[in-house]
């Protein structure tokens, strides 16, 4: 038996505001733009929105570098626009979850400005400001590296001090062991919850506790991506304690949902963080399924869906009834999964439908990312000038200074660039896909003529229609939320078959994970075919087309 909760039943939809809908023609998505498009989400059938950061920010990392937690980024609108958005979301019976970025702030946040300026400032201990090492202090305090290239330390020679930043040089890590800092964060979280937001997605929240003394990292660990130091903070000594305080003092009094973004925690720690008696998080995002073994995001390769099957089966078997997990394939930090699986346009729709089926019928809370519902794919970027993301640009510069040619450096960045997921949402076949009447902050490559919301709505066989049907099916069959999951051991390799069973009945899912047709004995007459992703053939058809998915309901 599973304890019921709205966030277990909900289908979430992630909005990346900068690229969703622009209402005023400045080329940048905004809050009024989101409001204008809310009915698309109602039509799709989603229950809740995760809104990426909309706070005041100098935008070094598109809002993940916050300057003021209690103000709205001017490009996105005003606090009045935000209040209207929240009211409009609630009026439609949906919920709104915001992004909480409290591992770090912008270097332009007043706390950091003060901390840097005045060594005696009460804000000094909010951050990791340390003297340099080496004879003249010209070496960083330790060997940790930034996720966005180079050392994790920024040197301020004029202040004779170094500041820790695990991400960009404008994203300064907060010291969670400092109680007054935690109290300020908790007050800020409560301020938003008082407004009525329904919860938060907590950015890299498993990184908040750093090992005291900040010892050097072992370069062998995290070697694949050259991240040195991770073992000292990816699940630091006081992580659970800090999460419990945040839960107790901020989330619990409002019954708000806490969704952790937790890169690298693995199954056991994921279970611990979401354990229902532990008072920490409700859901976690884990990332183990996103790359094939031995591969990293920047490798250019075809993703074999048998890997997805292996990881998800292991995860689903292990997670049990007392902890819960988020299910996602796309987000704003990753190239589009459809492109990774099979970049050939002829397979796009089938792959998009197959992925949707997996995501919406397995156990866990599905998070769709904008554009996924119409099958948006990666962009054919051809020049570094088209890229905007700080991670891509830093990596490119790093490769160039290590001796790569322009072409080599571009190739080294393209496959993994987060910008693939950040191109404008395609609303219609018009200029810039109806995203803006101006010049978009990042260009799309014209693909919106083939793939957009307006045309998809008019086509009952579209990827959009398939998402809508799956979401409706999920709503009609609680077994798809609370039921057990059982994987059919006789179906091997590319043929994936699993059952979701609950008090209300049973749903059977059959997937062909390959680009070749497969034979598959249809289930007996007890099962009615509810959905089939590839048109043609009858219920008893024993041949699955390339990437076909079918969903049967037991009579
Ligand atoms: O290892 C990583 C970097 O390549 C990732 O797992 C990284 O930790 C993760 O993508 C963190 O993402 C979140 O925090 C970042 C921000 O840039 C991302 O957009 C956000 O989702 C820093 O705030």
């Amino acid at each position: 038996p599973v304890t019921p909760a709205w966030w277990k039943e909900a289908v979430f939809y992630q909005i990346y505001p900068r690229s969703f809908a622009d209402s005023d023609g400045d080329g940048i998505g905004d809050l009024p733009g989101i409001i204008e498009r809310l009915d698309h989400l109602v039509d799709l059938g989603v229950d809740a929105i995760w809104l990426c950061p909309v706070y005041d920010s100098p935008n070094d990392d598109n809002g993940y570098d916050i300057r003021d937690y209690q103000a709205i980024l001017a490009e996105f609108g005003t606090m009045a626009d935000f209040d209207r958005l929240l009211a409009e979301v609630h009026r439609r019976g949906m919920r709104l979850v915001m992004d909480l970025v409290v591992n770090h702030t912008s270097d332009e946040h007043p706390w950091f400005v003060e901390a840097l300026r005045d060594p005696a400032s009460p804000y000094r201990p909010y951050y990791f400001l340390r003297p340099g090492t080496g004879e003249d202090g010209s070496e960083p305090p330790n060997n940790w590296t930034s996720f966005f290239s180079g050392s994790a330390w920024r040197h301020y020679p004029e202040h004779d001090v170094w500041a820790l930043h695990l991400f960009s040089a404008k994203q300064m890590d907060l010291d969670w062991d400092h109680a007054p800092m935690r109290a300020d964060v908790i007050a800020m979280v409560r301020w938003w919850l008082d407004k009525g937001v329904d919860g938060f997605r907590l950015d890299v929240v498993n990184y908040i506790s750093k090992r005291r003394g900040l010892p050097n990292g072992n370069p062998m660990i995290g070697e694949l991506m050259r991240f040195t130091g991770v073992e000292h903070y990816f699940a630091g000594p006081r992580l659970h304690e800090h999460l419990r305080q945040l839960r107790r003092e901020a989330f619990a009094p409002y019954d708000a949902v806490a969704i952790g973004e937790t890169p690298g925690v693995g199954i056991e720690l994921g279970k611990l963080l979401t354990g229902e008696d532990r008072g920490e998080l409700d859901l976690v995002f884990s990332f183990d399924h996103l790359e094939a073994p031995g591969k990293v995001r920047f490798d250019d390769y075809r993703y074999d869906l048998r890997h997805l099957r292996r990881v998800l089966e292991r995860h689903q078997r292990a997670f049990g009834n007392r902890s819960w997990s988020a299910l996602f394939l796309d987000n704003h930090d990753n190239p589009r999964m459809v492109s990774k699986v099979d970049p050939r346009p002829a397979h796009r729709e089938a792959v998009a439908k197959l992925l949707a089926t997996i995501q919406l019928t397995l156990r866990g809370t599905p998070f769709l990312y904008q554009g996924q519902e119409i099958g948006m794919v990666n962009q054919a970027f051809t020049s570094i000038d088209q890229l905007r993301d700080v991670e891509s640009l830093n990596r490119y510069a790093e490769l160039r200074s290590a001796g790569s040619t322009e072409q080599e450096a571009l190739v080294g960045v393209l496959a993994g660039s987060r910008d693939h997921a950040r191109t404008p949402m395609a609303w219609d076949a018009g200029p810039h896909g109806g995203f803006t009447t101006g010049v978009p902050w990042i260009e799309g490559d014209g693909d919106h003529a083939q793939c957009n919301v307006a045309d998809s709505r008019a086509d009952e066989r579209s990827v959009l229609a398939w998402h809508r049907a799956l979401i409706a099916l999920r709503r009609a069959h609680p077994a798809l939320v609370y039921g057990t999951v059982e994987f059919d051991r006789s179906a091997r390799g590319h043929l994936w078959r699993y059952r979701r069973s609950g008090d209300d009945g049973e749903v059977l899912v059959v997937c062909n994970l390959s680009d070749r047709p497969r034979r598959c004995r249809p289930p007996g007459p007890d099962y009615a075919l509810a959905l089939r992703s590839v048109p043609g053939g009858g219920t008893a058809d024993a041949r699955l087309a390339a990437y076909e998915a079918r969903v049967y309901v037991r009579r």
Side-chain angles (χ1 to χ4, degrees), residues 61 64 104 201 203-204 207 261 297 332-333 391 418:
D61 186 20
Y64 282 92
H104 43 267
R201 171 265 192 194
D203 192 63
V204 288
Y207 294 1
E261 191 223 12
R297 172 153 51 88
H332 65 298
D333 291 334
E391 182 196 53
R418 305 191 297 182

Side-chain angles (χ1 to χ4, degrees), residues 3-26:
T3 316
W6 72 263
W7 44 265
K8 293 181 185 171
E9 296 171 19
V11 174
F12 279 75
Y13 184 95
Q14 182 192 351
I15 292 181
Y16 195 68
R18 207 172 181 77
S19 306
F20 192 64
D22 172 22
S23 71
D24 59 6
D26 67 354

Side-chain angles (χ1 to χ4, degrees), residues 350 353 461 466 531-537 544-550:
K353 291 179 181 177
R461 298 210 305 222
W466 180 255
L531 292 170
R532 174 173 192 183
S533 69
V534 176
L544 288 173
Y547 300 118
E548 179 171 344
R550 292 185 199 176

